[in-house]
Amino acid sequence: MQIGSIELANNVIAAPMAGVTDRAFRIIAREQGCGLTVTEMVSDLALLYANPRTYRMLDFRGEKKPLSVQIFGSNPETMAKAAAIVVERGANIVDINMGCPTPKIVKNNEGSALMRDPQLATKIVESVVKSIPTIPVTVKFRKGWDEQSINAVEFARAMESAGAVAVTIHGRTRNQFYSGKADWNIIRKVKEALKIPVIGNGDIWSAQDAANMLEFTGCDGVMVGRGAMGNPWLFREIVYYLATGKTLPCPRPEERIHTAIRHLELMVESKGEQVAVFEMRKHAAWYTKGMRGAARIREVINKTQSKKEIEEILRGLLD
Ligand SMILES: Cc1cc2nc3c(=O)[nH]c(=O)nc-3n(C[C@H](O)[C@H](O)[C@H](O)COP(=O)(O)O)c2cc1C
């Protein structure tokens, strides 16, 4: 699949997820075969003020290219400057967040609030495209603000006209947050309306789901979010299934635990042990979900203070 001038190895993309898709997650997702990863969303103003925590989010050491960096904001000028900064730091694609439903974001007219102001959204895309003319700019948005204001198709057309080279559509409204079922019909309608590639997103939990979405909507690529949390193998399962029509076996417990430990090691490398140990709690819970003894282990992991302790507990699950 092609995003502007960039050819992806395949059309299976890891979704941007704040608090999840950091460097460690992205490295593992790419090792498992997805064609592209997207960073957590990064604030335009935090980039302009050179916030150290935000700059740490632009640590791409050891990552495969292309890299897509997602930015959010509501001011065309600061978004243009932020885009230039992330490109200078290594972004090969800049994605603009117009889908985040969180109150603290939408109250600033950012994220999915931009779906209620297509004119401003258009200006943002135009301004970003102008500031980074050689870099593909993409936009990620939702079905609409609420059931009474479903505007994904018109909105997508506006983004295309403004210069986006691909869009991702999550088939839920802002008011749904992550509840209910994603509407794949709206993805189909957006695909039918645009010339640029359309990436479908929402409720891909298995390789079969990915194949179904591609078939049902005609979309060019699929983006996988929650299904890959603690389950990066979903990427290789999807890629393999799309290529062969065959299902790969589930990862064995040994692989799950070894990958979880590697995830922890990569996080320590990026963020230091203290932050990594804290953040690993949720990943460890996801990686071990459904394994024998996992519930008790989760409780223990939530009290650990060191990498070594987490490693020992995880390895204990294999005894
Ligand atoms: C914890 C979490 C964090 C998220 N953060 C972002 C984000 O930073 N930017 C974004 O565009 N979408 C974000 N999303 C939305 C996902 O990218 C995706 O659109 C959504 O989860 C639907 O896909 P799924 O059904 O495959 O999970 C987030 C979702 C979750 C669950």
Side-chain angles (χ1 to χ4, degrees), residues 46-114:
L47 285 165
L48 263 56
Y49 297 143
N51 177 319
R53 224 191 114 243
T54 302
Y55 270 77
R56 273 203 297 278
M57 290 164 88
L58 305 180
D59 173 6
F60 305 125
R61 280 171 302 153
E63 285 189 60
K64 260 196 206 160
K65 289 179 185 267
L67 297 162
S68 174
V69 175
Q70 188 187 64
I71 56 173
F72 73 96
S74 64
N75 176 320
E77 277 165 39
T78 50
M79 285 292 275
K81 287 185 185 150
I85 294 172
V86 298
V87 168
E88 206 180 277
R89 295 261 164 166
N92 308 112
I93 297 171
V94 172
D95 186 52
I96 304 178
N97 181 322
M98 299 198 186
C100 180
T102 310
K104 81 168 194 255
I105 302 291
V106 298
K107 84 167 180 341
N108 294 331
N109 260 336
E110 299 164 344
S112 59
L114 289 165

Side-chain angles (χ1 to χ4, degrees), residues 15-18 20 39-41 70 95 97 99-100 140 142 170 172 178 201-205 223-227 229:
M17 289 189 282
V20 181
T39 62
E40 305 170 78
M41 61 182 196
Q70 188 187 64
D95 186 52
N97 181 322
C100 180
K140 179 165 177 282
R142 287 182 173 234
H170 173 197
R172 284 188 177 81
Y178 300 98
N201 170 240
D203 289 344
I204 295 178
W205 302 97
M223 181 180 273
V224 181
R226 292 163 299 167
M229 296 192 317

